[in-house]
Amino acid sequence: MHKIIRCIGFILVFSSSASTAHDFWMEANPFYTEIGKTVEFSIFVGNEFVGDSLPNIPNWYSDFTRFVDDRRVPIEGELGSDPAGHFKPEKNGTHLIGYQSDWTNVTIDPDTFLKYLKMEGLDHAIKYRETHNLTQKPGREDYIRHVKTLVQSGSSFEKDDYSKAFGYELEIIPLSNPYKHKLNDSISFEVIYQGKPASELLLIAFSRSNPLKAQEIRTSNEGKATIKLDDTGAWLVKAVKIIKVTEDDADWQSHWASLTFEVRDQ
């Protein structure tokens, strides 16, 4: 595992993301587009669709790509640019873009660490700390972010990459194309960890227009969960998996996954 020491500003933002900010997502501008028009991608850390955007610094991520047929192609972006990247769709249909951060190590005070574990539904970690009399110990954690976004070009589906996997440790995969759904439809997702269904994870989904009305569902034994698309606009779906480890500077390793897309009323 590689832990890179970065500039002070970035460390502060990412440390904050593990303690006070609980969302990390990629946002397309726009989510709906046409062939040949530029779509920009911003990487955010924050809460409930409000946060700070991160510039394009290649040392800060290990993957920033999209699918072209069955190939992975890097997202274009100038060093230090914000938005971090951009592309122009060559085909109509649904385009899938992925971004994976580098590993980050943090130490979090006990109260804040407990709050974070509760918010993300990491009950087994809470129970472990209680059972082993660790509740007053800081949380020492290595974490990594695996984020994806879906962009729809035109109204046809010549390209339909919504269900492809990037091979990230933790991924959220729609079981049907979000852009074929409309307002008030239900949609199911599969959460996979190391390529296998991840059961009992808390899937959290909310819209930009009503982030306080979050839907929280535990994944089934098959790693599946269903939500209702009850608001229009941008949506964020996320899940976190945490694992007990024994390292010199970490007791826990966590993987954060998110997926964004947009819902229209027709």
Side-chain angles (χ1 to χ4, degrees):
M1 183 186 303
H2 299 286
K3 303 184 188 107
I4 297 176
I5 302 301
R6 307 183 180 96
C7 71
I8 295 299
F10 181 72
I11 292 173
L12 290 175
V13 168
F14 259 61
S15 296
S16 171
S17 75
S19 57
T20 60
H22 292 271
D23 301 331
F24 189 92
W25 72 100
M26 175 164 42
E27 197 165 326
N29 182 24
F31 283 100
Y32 280 86
T33 188
E34 298 177 5
I35 290 176
K37 292 193 173 181
T38 298
V39 178
E40 295 180 322
F41 301 107
S42 295
I43 311 300
F44 287 98
V45 58
N47 287 304
E48 300 166 350
F49 271 117
V50 178
D52 298 312
S53 60
L54 304 181
N56 187 326
I57 306 296
N59 284 342
W60 295 358
Y61 57 85
S62 59
D63 185 66
F64 193 11
T65 59
R66 64 186 178 99
F67 280 100
V68 175
D69 299 322
D70 291 324
R71 295 181 295 116
R72 298 266 289 279
V73 174
I75 291 293
E76 296 180 2
E78 293 71 34
L79 179 65
S81 63
D82 185 4
H86 55 85
F87 94 122
K88 294 180 180 180
E90 309 91 345
K91 296 180 180 180
N92 280 329
T94 306
H95 300 259
L96 178 63
I97 298 88
Y99 178 104
Q100 179 170 264
S101 75
D102 191 14
W103 286 95
T104 300
N105 176 266
V106 292
T107 298
I108 308 171
D109 71 83
D111 290 342
T112 304
F113 193 62
L114 177 60
K115 181 180 178 181
Y116 143 54
L117 295 176
K118 287 181 176 178
M119 288 185 68
E120 303 301 335
L122 303 173
D123 298 345
H124 67 288
I126 296 173
K127 184 176 181 180
Y128 182 95
R129 282 170 61 83
E130 290 174 347
T131 302
H132 292 81
N133 297 316
L134 299 172
T135 55
Q136 299 307 310
K137 297 287 187 180
R140 303 188 312 153
E141 181 184 35
D142 287 327
Y143 69 93
I144 188 171
R145 315 283 201 158
H146 320 282
V147 301
K148 302 191 295 188
T149 194
L150 290 167
V151 173
Q152 177 63 30
S153 174
S155 57
S156 64
F157 294 91
E158 176 185 357
K159 186 175 181 64
D160 205 4
D161 290 338
Y162 74 94
S163 63
K164 288 184 175 178
F166 281 91
Y168 300 156
E169 289 278 299
L170 188 69
E171 288 195 57
I172 299 171
I173 298 178
L175 296 180
S176 56
N177 191 328
Y179 290 112
K180 292 182 179 179
H181 287 273
K182 60 182 184 298
L183 182 64
N184 290 321
D185 280 354
S186 293
I187 182 171
S188 297
F189 300 88
E190 181 182 21
V191 184
I192 58 173
Y193 174 68
Q194 295 183 342
K196 298 179 181 180
S199 63
E200 291 300 312
L201 295 190
L202 187 66
L203 186 82
I204 302 175
F206 53 86
S207 67
R208 186 201 306 279
S209 60
N210 203 346
L212 298 182
K213 193 176 67 175
Q215 299 174 54
E216 300 185 356
I217 307 97
R218 289 280 176 187
T219 57
S220 68
N221 290 337
E222 293 78 32
K224 298 176 182 178
T226 300
I227 66 167
K228 184 176 182 180
L229 301 173
D230 54 4
D231 283 304
T232 56
W235 275 77
L236 191 154
V237 183
K238 63 173 187 168
V240 180
K241 184 175 179 66
I242 195 166
I243 303 162
K244 184 69 179 71
V245 296
T246 303
E247 298 184 2
D248 291 340
D249 57 357
D251 302 308
W252 300 93
Q253 181 188 102
S254 65
H255 295 265
W256 301 59
S258 71
L259 173 72
T260 57
F261 53 88
E262 187 172 298
V263 173
R264 290 185 171 181
D265 57 6
Q266 58 180 9

